[in-house]
Amino acid sequence: MVAQTRTFIRLGLLSMVGLAFYYAHLFLGMVGNAWIFKMLAVLFLLTAVPLPIIAVNNRKLFPALEKWTKTLVVAGALLLLVHHFLMTFIFVMFLPEGRVL
């Protein structure tokens, strides 16, 4: 139980780093190499995939939270996954290398 909570928190923090990566590249063009950029985008997408799975399947993830707060955790994890999927799809398929704005 504790291992799944730690895994959930670590993957969540890594996904938050992914948010910073997506927007840093979108506005600043931080990564110059297209292959490294695409690889990092897919990596951050893959770190977000288990978050909703862990949140839905583990009823003892955060035992101190109320039911509506656990629902918010599940919804947030799902929104983070959808965001990462859309940003990875757009970045890998459509955006050119370098600064966008």
Side-chain angles (χ1 to χ4, degrees), residues 37-93:
F37 166 70
K38 291 177 182 182
M39 182 182 66
L40 284 172
V42 171
L43 177 74
F44 286 125
L45 172 64
L46 291 177
T47 60
V49 168
L51 288 176
I53 296 168
I54 293 172
V56 168
N57 290 334
N58 191 356
R59 297 187 186 270
K60 298 179 183 179
L61 184 63
F62 297 111
L65 295 180
E66 297 176 12
K67 184 176 179 175
W68 66 272
T69 314
K70 288 182 183 183
T71 305
L72 285 178
V73 170
V74 172
L78 187 60
L79 285 175
L80 191 63
L81 173 63
V82 169
H83 175 272
H84 278 33
F85 174 76
L86 291 175
M87 293 295 276
T88 300
F89 181 76
I90 290 170
F91 280 2
V92 171
M93 297 300 286

